[in-house]
Amino acid sequence: MGAGHAHVLYRESGSPVHRLPPEVKIAAMVLFTVAVVATPREAYWAFGGYALLVAVVAALARVGPRWLLARALIELPFVLFAFALPFLGAGERVDVAGLSLSVDGLHGAFNILAKGTLGVLASLLLAATTTTRDLILGLDRLRCPQVLTQIATFMLRYLDVLVGEARRMRVARVSRGDDPRFLWQLRGFAAGVGALFLRAFERGERVYLAMVSRGYTGRMPAVWQGAGAATAGQWAVAATVPVIAASIAAAALVLQ
């Protein structure tokens, strides 16, 4: 953990967003998403305000729109489902370009697209400006359940080890004539997966016992938790985004 693991979504930069402590960014992202979800689907203007807010944060974080949109394609299955709703929905229908579409289905499709896209973009901005190690540290500072932080910490620390071990096992199988492309060799592949699971379980148990014997209590060391913890000013800066989003959501609910 001390080496500082990065991930494929992280974009190294010295932007103001990158310099914020991870806990304030996590809290801001979660509260922003809650405000978006709480917004009535008929308040189209509100989603435009949220999109503008995301664009401002992306500009401050120096994350380009092409990078964001390319990685937002992860929500493509939900987009396809949303496009099917106007055709499958019941109730009042309207003709659009010769097609009979459900009004409720149109509202539902927009609801999924708008809220899903905004949530994905907010998550991508968090991932682009925070390393995986800092994400776990931020969750620990926010008093996330110990079980979750422990699992995430071990996964981060030993994921590369397990991937390397799986690669070596595959090379060993192939060198002995195994070819996983053929269905009748699926049994060997399944046995390899089982062996890898047992090795990972045993390794995790040994590592955990070794850490406990050295004073590990399930949380980051107190010195590490305190180093770089958010100040009141940084909390106030990060609160700008959820406060504006909450104001937009409240106005949308009042004007509904």
Side-chain angles (χ1 to χ4, degrees):
M1 288 295 295
H5 294 252
H7 53 76
V8 294
L9 294 179
Y10 178 70
R11 294 174 61 85
E12 188 172 355
S13 175
S15 74
V17 182
H18 283 76
R19 290 195 295 268
L20 285 173
E23 61 269 27
V24 302
K25 289 186 282 187
I26 294 172
M29 188 274 292
V30 172
L31 294 175
F32 171 81
T33 305
V34 170
V36 171
V37 172
T39 304
R41 62 184 185 181
E42 294 82 6
Y44 304 114
W45 63 270
F47 296 102
Y50 296 140
L52 180 61
L53 198 56
V54 169
V56 170
V57 175
L60 290 174
R62 300 169 191 168
V63 178
R66 289 185 60 184
W67 186 92
L68 277 175
L69 294 176
R71 280 136 185 94
L73 292 177
I74 192 174
E75 65 165 341
L76 188 58
F78 300 97
V79 172
L80 297 176
F81 173 73
F83 276 116
L85 284 180
F87 299 96
L88 303 177
E92 181 183 355
R93 306 190 74 83
V94 62
D95 290 331
V96 178
L99 299 174
S100 178
L101 304 178
S102 168
V103 174
D104 190 60
L106 288 171
H107 285 304
F110 174 79
N111 189 54
I112 293 175
L113 286 175
K115 295 182 179 180
T117 301
L118 288 168
V120 168
L121 292 178
S123 301
L124 286 173
L125 283 175
L126 175 63
T129 57
T130 315
T131 63
T132 309
R133 177 259 190 194
D134 285 341
L135 284 173
I136 296 175
L137 181 58
L139 290 173
D140 197 69
R141 288 175 178 170
L142 293 172
R143 294 299 171 182
C144 182
Q146 291 187 16
V147 173
L148 296 181
T149 56
Q150 287 185 52
I151 291 174
T153 301
F154 282 120
M155 180 188 71
L156 172 63
R157 180 64 183 85
Y158 290 100
L159 182 60
D160 292 339
V161 176
L162 293 178
V163 170
E165 193 159 355
R167 188 180 296 112
R168 290 191 295 272
M169 291 174 63
R170 182 183 181 280
V171 171
R173 289 201 324 270
V174 173
S175 66
R176 290 168 174 78
D178 180 68
D179 192 341
R181 292 178 298 176
F182 296 104
L183 290 178
W184 55 82
Q185 294 179 329
L186 187 62
R187 180 179 178 182
F189 173 77
V193 172
L196 181 62
F197 172 77
L198 291 177
R199 291 185 187 182
F201 182 83
E202 292 172 353
R203 184 193 299 271
E205 188 175 23
R206 291 195 302 270
V207 170
Y208 178 75
L209 291 176
M211 293 175 67
V212 169
S213 67
R214 290 166 174 80
Y216 180 68
T217 60
R219 289 201 177 277
M220 303 292 185
V223 176
W224 195 2
Q225 288 182 359
T231 63
Q234 290 170 326
W235 277 107
V237 170
T240 304
V241 172
V243 166
I244 295 176
S247 301
I248 294 175
L253 289 170
V254 171
L255 297 175
Q256 185 181 7

